[in-house]
Amino acid sequence: MKCINKKATGLLLLPFFCLCCGCGQSFSEISYTNTYDIYETSKEYEIISAEDASLQNTADFFGKDLCVSDGMDLGTDSTDSQVAGAAGVFNLNTKEVTYAQNIYGRMYPASTTKILTAYVALKYGDLDAVYQVSANAANQAADSSVCHLKEGDYMSLHQLLYGLLMQSGNDAAIAIAEGISGDVNAFAELMNQEARALGAVDSHFINPHGLQDVEHYTTVYDLYLIFQAAVQNETFKEIIHTKEYIVEYLDSTGMSVEQKWMSTNKYLMETETAPRGITVIGGKTGTTNDAGYCLVLYSSNEAGDPIVSIIMKADCRNNLYYYMNQLLYGFAGHET
């Protein structure tokens, strides 16, 4: 389905009616004395530059390289879609939404939030910069997903990104936010700014890790917009493709510390098998009680097309991967 995204594209519909001007003049007979040239006026008020004005109608549409949809469900009659709250499959080569279930519905993202955290960090941060873990970053709940960082630990942004995306560490997320922006609130503002710039206008982010907050939400379509931008970065792709990572860093006393982090992606860890013809490159998982089980996956089909497939609020982990396999087999360009 390649349709116009009603949320992203506005059309000014002019009602067709007669203008009654005394004795019923036609449009061609009416003279307007206060008209203006839209390009010259925009140039005058510095909305666009003189160079832009000369281009006039040659500007590219925002969504020219994006998969766009009218938001209607597509393909759900042939899947077990009842096991999840929302899902979508997006072919980045053909620019098509090939499967859609509630893709504009507001959902809690859990740790899939960390895709945007990584995108912002890679855009504004220096991979070689070394951050010191604060007490705030290290102080995570006992049942929280963490990298086991301690207050005073020294770690580079590059290392923290592995902890963020592989181990899904909430402590790494806070350390990154504080390192980039000084505090979590300022970083969240930057997250929202970047999300809007990518077209993710139905989202709002409160924190860099995705722990539950009623004001922290997104949609399947917005996650697609964010993720497709993130995978343009080779470092991001390298990290989400990594199964195991040995990290070495210094603690607060200068002593060397070593940890091994493992991917939370069951496809990468080969505890779940993708359909024949589908090559899983990587992705990001997310789980909370309110968000359910979430997965944003990056793969390729037999034609070599890059595919983004997303499931949000699956009712259990087994159904998350069961449903994802249905999507990959039937809607990712799989050849039978």
Side-chain angles (χ1 to χ4, degrees), residues 248-284:
E248 297 180 8
Y249 58 97
L250 301 179
D251 67 12
S252 60
T253 68
M255 295 292 293
S256 180
V257 180
E258 181 177 293
Q259 285 197 63
K260 180 167 70 174
W261 292 332
M262 309 294 290
S263 173
T264 60
N265 189 319
K266 294 182 72 173
Y267 289 115
L268 284 186
M269 301 310 295
E270 300 178 354
T271 55
E272 194 68 49
T273 303
R276 178 181 59 82
I278 299 296
T279 301
V280 172
I281 299 166
K284 185 71 194 78

Side-chain angles (χ1 to χ4, degrees), residues 131-134 137 149 160 170-180 208:
Y131 300 153
Q132 187 171 28
V133 177
S134 69
L149 303 181
L160 285 167
N170 296 336
D171 44 3
I174 297 294
I176 289 171
E178 293 177 340
I180 296 289

Side-chain angles (χ1 to χ4, degrees), residues 214-287:
V214 294
E215 294 301 320
H216 188 101
Y217 53 82
T218 189
T219 69
V220 163
Y221 189 75
D222 280 7
L223 263 185
Y224 147 72
L225 291 174
I226 294 164
F227 190 67
Q228 65 84 29
V231 295
Q232 306 308 310
N233 186 288
E234 291 302 319
T235 299
F236 182 88
K237 283 199 294 187
E238 175 190 329
I239 294 173
I240 65 170
H241 185 61
T242 303
K243 299 178 183 180
E244 178 182 307
Y245 182 73
I246 305 295
V247 58
E248 297 180 8
Y249 58 97
L250 301 179
D251 67 12
S252 60
T253 68
M255 295 292 293
S256 180
V257 180
E258 181 177 293
Q259 285 197 63
K260 180 167 70 174
W261 292 332
M262 309 294 290
S263 173
T264 60
N265 189 319
K266 294 182 72 173
Y267 289 115
L268 284 186
M269 301 310 295
E270 300 178 354
T271 55
E272 194 68 49
T273 303
R276 178 181 59 82
I278 299 296
T279 301
V280 172
I281 299 166
K284 185 71 194 78
T285 58
T287 308

